[in-house]
């Protein structure tokens, strides 16, 4: 709950009230397991879709957001490759996780190269 509080800039007790209210309304559920946490239910995802549509349509922002998304889609394959290249390395043709200890395998300018301007 601390991460939600920090991301939303809401006090922890306020986040707790919101999450429990969403739970009562059937829009969110808490999985108390070792890897658990709060998540949206199917009804919560449907409500979120409606809220997002209202947000996009109210100020007339849908066209601008869709244009930005289309630009992102053009860059996404290259970005995915940069991320994969950064996360993995090859020894004798066999891929393994990159532990980032070999300075020859670091590519700090790779992400900057994706910038369209």
């Amino acid at each position: 709950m601390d991460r939600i509080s920090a991301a939303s800039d809401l006090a922890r007790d306020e986040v707790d009230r919101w999450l429990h209210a969403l739970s009562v309304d059937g829009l969110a559920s808490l999985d108390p397991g070792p890897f658990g946490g709060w998540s949206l239910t199917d009804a919560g995802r449907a409500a979120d879709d409606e809220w997002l549509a209202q947000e996009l349509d109210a100020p007339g922002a849908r066209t601008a957001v869709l244009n930005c998304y289309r630009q992102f889609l053009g860059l996404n394959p290259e970005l995915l490759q940069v991320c994969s290249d950064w996360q993995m390395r090859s020894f004798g043709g066999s891929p393994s996780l990159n532990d980032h200890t070999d300075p020859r395998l670091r590519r700090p300018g790779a992400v900057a190269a994706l910038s369209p301007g």
Side-chain angles (χ1 to χ4, degrees), residues 7 19 25 39 46 58 61 76 83 89 103 115:
L19 290 172
D25 290 343
S39 62
N76 194 40
C83 291
R89 63 182 178 174
S115 175

Side-chain angles (χ1 to χ4, degrees), residues 3-95:
R3 292 188 321 198
I4 297 171
S5 178
S8 64
D9 202 26
L10 296 172
R12 194 177 199 284
D13 62 331
E14 190 171 353
V15 169
D16 188 57
R17 283 194 302 272
W18 274 104
L19 290 172
H20 282 92
L22 291 168
S23 179
V24 168
D25 290 343
L27 301 176
S29 63
L30 175 61
D31 178 0
F35 301 105
W38 286 95
S39 62
L40 293 174
T41 62
D42 289 340
R45 281 187 283 284
D48 185 55
D49 287 345
E50 290 176 31
W51 295 331
L52 178 58
Q54 291 171 6
E55 274 189 54
L56 287 171
D57 293 336
R62 184 177 294 273
T63 300
V65 170
L66 286 174
N67 287 338
C68 288
Y69 181 65
R70 286 185 190 106
Q71 289 177 349
F72 164 76
L73 287 178
L75 295 172
N76 194 40
E78 191 173 351
L79 176 61
L80 289 173
Q81 187 62 55
V82 168
C83 291
S84 293
D85 291 347
W86 182 78
Q87 293 170 341
M88 303 295 292
R89 63 182 178 174
S90 179
F91 288 110
S94 297

